[in-house]
Amino acid sequence: MTHPQGMSLAELAPGVEQILLAGDGFSARIALLGGQLLDYRRGEQPPLFYLSPQSAYLPGKAIRGGVPVCWPWFGAHSSDAAQPAHGVARQQLWKLAEASRDGKVFHVKLSGPRHGELSAVLDFRIGPDGVAIELTTANHGALPQTVSAALHSYFAVSDIDSVELLGLEGAPAHDKLSDRRLNLPALPFRFDGEVDLVAYRGGAITLQDAGWRRAVRIASAGSHSAVVWNPAQAKAQRLADLPDADWRRFVCVETANAGDDARALAPGAAHKLACRVDFSCRD
Protein backbone atom coordinates (compact mmCIF):
# COMPACT_ATOMS: atom_id res chain seq x y z
CA MET A 1 0.00 0.00 0.00
CA THR A 2 1.26 3.45 -0.91
CA HIS A 3 1.21 5.82 2.04
CA PRO A 4 0.30 9.49 1.63
CA GLN A 5 2.91 12.15 2.27
CA GLY A 6 3.41 12.61 6.01
CA MET A 7 2.37 9.08 6.96
CA SER A 8 4.72 6.29 7.96
CA LEU A 9 4.77 3.04 9.92
CA ALA A 10 7.08 2.39 12.86
CA GLU A 11 7.52 -0.26 15.52
CA LEU A 12 5.76 0.60 18.77
CA ALA A 13 6.85 -2.62 20.49
CA PRO A 14 7.99 -6.05 19.28
CA GLY A 15 5.26 -7.32 16.98
CA VAL A 16 3.19 -4.12 17.31
CA GLU A 17 3.23 -1.36 14.69
CA GLN A 18 2.01 2.21 14.90
CA ILE A 19 0.99 4.69 12.24
CA LEU A 20 2.73 8.07 12.43
CA LEU A 21 1.04 11.13 10.95
CA ALA A 22 2.93 14.39 10.51
CA GLY A 23 0.74 17.15 9.14
CA ASP A 24 0.66 20.91 8.81
CA GLY A 25 1.18 22.00 12.41
CA PHE A 26 -0.03 18.76 14.02
CA SER A 27 0.99 15.15 14.59
CA ALA A 28 -0.77 11.95 15.63
CA ARG A 29 -0.08 8.28 16.34
CA ILE A 30 -2.36 5.27 15.93
CA ALA A 31 -1.47 1.83 17.32
CA LEU A 32 -2.55 -1.19 15.31
CA LEU A 33 -2.91 -2.92 18.68
CA GLY A 34 -6.50 -2.07 19.53
CA GLY A 35 -6.89 0.23 16.53
CA GLN A 36 -6.15 2.88 19.09
CA LEU A 37 -5.43 6.56 18.61
CA LEU A 38 -2.58 7.18 21.05
CA ASP A 39 -1.68 10.81 20.57
CA TYR A 40 -2.69 14.04 18.86
CA ARG A 41 -0.69 17.25 19.24
CA ARG A 42 -0.98 20.66 17.69
CA GLY A 43 2.23 22.67 17.60
CA GLU A 44 3.62 23.33 21.07
CA GLN A 45 0.26 22.90 22.82
CA PRO A 46 -0.27 20.19 25.45
CA PRO A 47 -1.36 16.79 24.08
CA LEU A 48 -5.06 16.25 23.50
CA PHE A 49 -4.99 12.75 24.98
CA TYR A 50 -3.38 11.22 28.05
CA LEU A 51 -1.22 8.09 27.56
CA SER A 52 0.10 6.28 30.60
CA PRO A 53 3.90 5.90 30.67
CA GLN A 54 3.31 2.48 32.24
CA SER A 55 1.18 1.12 29.39
CA ALA A 56 2.13 -2.28 28.07
CA TYR A 57 2.07 -2.77 24.30
CA LEU A 58 1.32 -6.48 24.19
CA PRO A 59 -1.35 -8.29 22.17
CA GLY A 60 -3.97 -9.52 24.60
CA LYS A 61 -3.53 -6.50 26.90
CA ALA A 62 -5.29 -3.15 26.61
CA ILE A 63 -3.32 0.11 26.31
CA ARG A 64 -4.05 2.62 29.09
CA GLY A 65 -4.76 5.95 27.42
CA GLY A 66 -5.49 7.53 24.07
CA VAL A 67 -8.82 6.30 22.68
CA PRO A 68 -9.35 2.58 23.40
CA VAL A 69 -12.19 0.92 21.49
CA CYS A 70 -14.64 -0.97 23.70
CA TRP A 71 -16.41 -3.49 21.41
CA PRO A 72 -18.68 -5.43 20.95
CA TRP A 73 -19.74 -5.03 24.55
CA PHE A 74 -19.16 -2.31 27.12
CA GLY A 75 -18.31 -3.30 30.69
CA ALA A 76 -18.61 -6.92 31.73
CA HIS A 77 -19.92 -9.52 29.30
CA SER A 78 -23.62 -10.10 29.92
CA SER A 79 -23.42 -13.89 30.30
CA ASP A 80 -19.77 -15.03 30.40
CA ALA A 81 -17.57 -13.71 33.22
CA ALA A 82 -14.51 -15.28 31.59
CA GLN A 83 -14.72 -12.84 28.66
CA PRO A 84 -12.56 -9.69 28.89
CA ALA A 85 -14.09 -6.47 30.19
CA HIS A 86 -15.10 -4.03 27.43
CA GLY A 87 -14.86 -6.63 24.67
CA VAL A 88 -12.08 -7.92 22.46
CA ALA A 89 -11.26 -5.02 20.12
CA ARG A 90 -8.80 -3.16 22.35
CA GLN A 91 -6.67 -6.27 22.94
CA GLN A 92 -6.24 -7.47 19.36
CA LEU A 93 -4.30 -6.36 16.32
CA TRP A 94 -6.14 -4.36 13.65
CA LYS A 95 -5.10 -4.10 9.99
CA LEU A 96 -4.48 -1.01 7.90
CA ALA A 97 -7.06 -1.15 5.10
CA GLU A 98 -6.83 2.29 3.48
CA ALA A 99 -4.80 5.47 3.83
CA SER A 100 -5.09 8.75 1.97
CA ARG A 101 -4.76 12.49 2.40
CA ASP A 102 -7.20 15.17 1.32
CA GLY A 103 -5.31 18.44 1.56
CA LYS A 104 -4.34 18.80 5.22
CA VAL A 105 -6.54 15.93 6.49
CA PHE A 106 -5.42 12.31 6.77
CA HIS A 107 -7.93 9.50 6.29
CA VAL A 108 -6.96 6.16 7.84
CA LYS A 109 -9.22 3.10 7.73
CA LEU A 110 -8.57 0.02 9.88
CA SER A 111 -10.30 -3.35 9.78
CA GLY A 112 -10.73 -4.97 13.15
CA PRO A 113 -11.29 -8.38 14.66
CA ARG A 114 -14.36 -10.49 14.01
CA HIS A 115 -16.38 -11.62 16.98
CA GLY A 116 -18.75 -14.34 15.92
CA GLU A 117 -20.81 -12.83 13.11
CA LEU A 118 -19.89 -9.24 13.99
CA SER A 119 -17.19 -7.19 12.26
CA ALA A 120 -15.68 -3.81 13.13
CA VAL A 121 -14.14 -1.06 10.99
CA LEU A 122 -12.56 2.19 12.20
CA ASP A 123 -12.32 5.36 10.15
CA PHE A 124 -10.07 8.19 11.34
CA ARG A 125 -10.01 11.68 9.85
CA ILE A 126 -7.22 13.66 11.45
CA GLY A 127 -6.23 17.19 10.52
CA PRO A 128 -5.17 20.55 11.96
CA ASP A 129 -8.67 21.21 13.33
CA GLY A 130 -8.95 17.98 15.34
CA VAL A 131 -9.93 14.34 15.17
CA ALA A 132 -12.96 12.41 13.90
CA ILE A 133 -13.40 8.70 14.66
CA GLU A 134 -16.13 6.43 13.30
CA LEU A 135 -16.66 2.83 14.44
CA THR A 136 -18.86 0.72 12.15
CA THR A 137 -20.27 -2.58 13.40
CA ALA A 138 -21.88 -4.97 10.92
CA ASN A 139 -23.92 -8.09 11.62
CA HIS A 140 -23.10 -10.76 9.03
CA GLY A 141 -25.19 -13.47 10.68
CA ALA A 142 -28.72 -14.76 10.30
CA LEU A 143 -29.84 -13.72 13.80
CA PRO A 144 -30.19 -10.31 15.49
CA GLN A 145 -27.24 -9.20 17.64
CA THR A 146 -27.04 -6.68 20.48
CA VAL A 147 -23.96 -4.46 20.50
CA SER A 148 -22.65 -2.00 23.06
CA ALA A 149 -19.46 -0.02 22.50
CA ALA A 150 -17.49 3.07 23.41
CA LEU A 151 -14.73 5.31 22.09
CA HIS A 152 -13.06 5.47 25.51
CA SER A 153 -11.24 8.81 25.21
CA TYR A 154 -8.69 9.72 27.90
CA PHE A 155 -8.46 13.51 27.63
CA ALA A 156 -5.30 15.06 29.02
CA VAL A 157 -5.93 17.87 31.52
CA SER A 158 -3.77 20.32 33.44
CA ASP A 159 -5.23 19.09 36.75
CA ILE A 160 -8.54 17.43 37.53
CA ASP A 161 -9.51 20.23 39.92
CA SER A 162 -9.24 22.73 37.04
CA VAL A 163 -11.78 21.11 34.70
CA GLU A 164 -15.53 20.97 34.25
CA LEU A 165 -17.89 19.45 31.68
CA LEU A 166 -20.63 21.42 29.95
CA GLY A 167 -23.54 19.70 28.23
CA LEU A 168 -24.55 17.18 30.90
CA GLU A 169 -26.67 19.56 32.99
CA GLY A 170 -29.76 17.74 34.29
CA ALA A 171 -29.07 14.61 32.23
CA PRO A 172 -30.55 11.27 33.35
CA ALA A 173 -27.69 9.02 34.43
CA HIS A 174 -26.73 5.66 35.90
CA ASP A 175 -24.14 6.01 38.65
CA LYS A 176 -22.30 2.71 38.34
CA LEU A 177 -20.50 3.12 41.67
CA SER A 178 -23.72 3.22 43.69
CA ASP A 179 -25.86 1.45 41.06
CA ARG A 180 -28.35 4.33 41.25
CA ARG A 181 -30.44 6.09 38.65
CA LEU A 182 -30.39 9.86 39.04
CA ASN A 183 -30.47 13.19 37.27
CA LEU A 184 -27.22 15.10 37.18
CA PRO A 185 -27.26 18.59 38.74
CA ALA A 186 -28.26 21.53 36.53
CA LEU A 187 -24.68 22.79 36.79
CA PRO A 188 -21.39 22.16 34.99
CA PHE A 189 -20.11 18.72 36.00
CA ARG A 190 -17.02 18.70 38.23
CA PHE A 191 -14.97 15.75 39.46
CA ASP A 192 -15.09 15.05 43.19
CA GLY A 193 -13.66 11.63 44.02
CA GLU A 194 -14.10 8.52 41.91
CA VAL A 195 -16.56 8.90 39.02
CA ASP A 196 -18.08 6.14 36.89
CA LEU A 197 -21.40 6.99 35.28
CA VAL A 198 -23.39 6.68 32.08
CA ALA A 199 -25.23 9.89 31.15
CA TYR A 200 -28.10 9.62 28.70
CA ARG A 201 -28.10 12.67 26.47
CA GLY A 202 -27.20 13.35 22.87
CA GLY A 203 -25.40 16.46 21.68
CA ALA A 204 -21.96 17.86 22.31
CA ILE A 205 -20.03 17.93 25.58
CA THR A 206 -17.38 20.58 26.22
CA LEU A 207 -14.42 19.95 28.50
CA GLN A 208 -13.28 23.28 29.97
CA ASP A 209 -9.74 23.30 31.32
CA ALA A 210 -8.93 26.51 33.18
CA GLY A 211 -5.32 25.51 33.82
CA TRP A 212 -4.50 25.11 30.13
CA ARG A 213 -7.08 27.74 29.08
CA ARG A 214 -8.47 25.15 26.69
CA ALA A 215 -11.96 24.12 25.61
CA VAL A 216 -12.34 20.64 24.06
CA ARG A 217 -15.61 19.98 22.25
CA ILE A 218 -16.73 16.36 21.87
CA ALA A 219 -19.58 15.92 19.39
CA SER A 220 -21.16 12.51 18.83
CA ALA A 221 -23.29 10.67 16.30
CA GLY A 222 -25.07 7.32 16.58
CA SER A 223 -24.96 7.74 20.36
CA HIS A 224 -27.34 8.76 23.11
CA SER A 225 -24.99 7.96 25.99
CA ALA A 226 -21.72 9.32 27.33
CA VAL A 227 -19.54 7.56 29.87
CA VAL A 228 -17.68 9.78 32.35
CA TRP A 229 -14.89 8.12 34.32
CA ASN A 230 -11.97 8.87 36.59
CA PRO A 231 -10.56 6.38 39.13
CA ALA A 232 -9.46 8.94 41.76
CA GLN A 233 -6.59 8.21 44.13
CA ALA A 234 -7.52 4.95 45.83
CA LYS A 235 -8.45 3.03 42.68
CA ALA A 236 -5.55 4.51 40.70
CA GLN A 237 -3.15 2.98 43.19
CA ARG A 238 -4.61 -0.45 42.36
CA LEU A 239 -4.07 -0.06 38.61
CA ALA A 240 -0.66 -1.48 37.71
CA ASP A 241 -0.46 0.36 34.37
CA LEU A 242 -1.17 3.83 35.82
CA PRO A 243 1.22 5.95 37.95
CA ASP A 244 -0.35 6.57 41.35
CA ALA A 245 -0.76 10.33 40.89
CA ASP A 246 -1.72 10.37 37.21
CA TRP A 247 -5.45 10.18 37.88
CA ARG A 248 -5.15 13.96 38.21
CA ARG A 249 -3.89 14.27 34.62
CA PHE A 250 -6.89 12.93 32.66
CA VAL A 251 -10.65 12.58 32.52
CA CYS A 252 -12.50 10.08 30.35
CA VAL A 253 -15.46 11.37 28.35
CA GLU A 254 -16.55 8.50 26.15
CA THR A 255 -18.85 8.55 23.14
CA ALA A 256 -20.82 5.38 23.71
CA ASN A 257 -23.63 2.96 23.12
CA ALA A 258 -23.65 1.91 26.76
CA GLY A 259 -26.28 0.67 29.18
CA ASP A 260 -29.77 1.51 27.90
CA ASP A 261 -28.18 2.79 24.67
CA ALA A 262 -27.02 -0.66 23.45
CA ARG A 263 -28.06 -1.23 19.83
CA ALA A 264 -29.89 -4.19 18.29
CA LEU A 265 -28.56 -5.09 14.84
CA ALA A 266 -30.80 -7.04 12.49
CA PRO A 267 -29.18 -9.57 10.13
CA GLY A 268 -27.26 -7.64 7.49
CA ALA A 269 -27.54 -4.35 9.38
CA ALA A 270 -24.74 -2.00 10.44
CA HIS A 271 -24.41 0.77 13.02
CA LYS A 272 -22.01 3.73 13.09
CA LEU A 273 -20.78 5.22 16.38
CA ALA A 274 -18.78 8.41 15.84
CA CYS A 275 -17.19 11.32 17.63
CA ARG A 276 -15.63 14.56 16.48
CA VAL A 277 -13.13 16.26 18.80
CA ASP A 278 -11.85 19.79 18.28
CA PHE A 279 -10.43 22.31 20.68
CA SER A 280 -9.42 25.90 21.10
CA CYS A 281 -6.96 27.60 23.45
CA ARG A 282 -7.07 31.12 24.82
CA ASP A 283 -3.86 33.14 24.92
Side-chain angles (χ1 to χ4, degrees):
M1 180 185 302
T2 301
H3 299 151
Q5 182 179 3
M7 174 181 164
S8 60
L9 294 177
E11 188 176 70
L12 177 62
V16 177
E17 286 188 307
Q18 62 179 331
I19 299 167
L20 306 180
L21 304 176
D24 185 7
F26 71 94
S27 63
R29 296 189 294 135
I30 303 169
L32 293 183
L33 174 60
Q36 190 159 331
L37 180 62
L38 299 179
D39 189 37
Y40 175 92
R41 296 171 189 257
R42 185 189 295 163
E44 299 300 317
Q45 297 174 6
L48 181 57
F49 300 105
Y50 169 83
L51 181 63
S52 172
Q54 294 176 191
S55 286
Y57 301 103
L58 300 170
K61 186 170 179 61
I63 300 170
R64 176 76 65 185
V67 188
V69 178
C70 303
W71 179 91
W73 60 86
F74 180 82
H77 191 277
S78 60
S79 61
D80 186 353
Q83 293 287 342
H86 297 315
V88 299
R90 61 187 189 147
Q91 300 178 349
Q92 297 188 20
L93 294 174
W94 292 57
K95 295 180 180 179
L96 176 61
E98 297 178 18
S100 61
R101 184 171 180 174
D102 182 8
K104 297 180 180 181
V105 179
F106 291 96
H107 174 213
V108 177
K109 183 175 182 178
L110 305 180
S111 58
R114 290 283 292 256
H115 185 76
E117 299 297 335
L118 297 173
S119 68
V121 172
L122 275 168
D123 279 282
F124 296 91
R125 294 189 182 273
I126 301 176
D129 295 331
V131 173
I133 308 173
E134 183 178 81
L135 171 66
T136 301
T137 303
N139 179 8
H140 303 274
L143 298 174
Q145 300 276 348
T146 299
V147 175
S148 58
L151 301 171
H152 191 313
S153 305
Y154 284 73
F155 290 102
V157 299
S158 60
D159 184 86
I160 198 165
D161 289 340
S162 296
V163 304
E164 61 184 15
L165 302 179
L166 309 179
L168 297 176
E169 294 84 354
H174 177 204
D175 185 333
K176 297 175 69 178
L177 297 175
S178 63
D179 196 20
R180 282 192 308 132
R181 297 281 178 153
L182 50 84
N183 279 39
L184 297 177
L187 298 167
F189 184 91
R190 297 188 66 88
F191 291 81
D192 182 14
E194 184 179 354
V195 173
D196 189 358
L197 61 85
V198 182
Y200 295 105
R201 174 170 289 181
I205 298 171
T206 299
L207 168 61
Q208 299 272 18
D209 187 333
W212 282 344
R213 299 174 63 82
R214 182 161 83 177
V216 179
R217 184 177 184 272
I218 307 125
S220 63
S223 166
H224 293 292
S225 59
V227 179
V228 182
W229 182 76
N230 182 273
Q233 184 174 9
K235 185 170 183 177
Q237 291 175 343
R238 301 195 298 270
L239 298 174
D241 57 356
L242 183 70
D244 288 352
D246 273 18
W247 62 276
R248 304 192 66 90
R249 298 181 54 207
F250 70 86
V251 297
C252 289
V253 183
E254 311 169 32
T255 298
N257 295 133
D260 299 343
D261 192 31
R263 302 300 171 105
L265 290 185
H271 174 69
K272 296 181 184 294
L273 173 68
C275 70
R276 167 76 199 183
V277 182
D278 52 54
F279 62 98
S280 58
C281 298
R282 301 189 306 274
D283 294 332

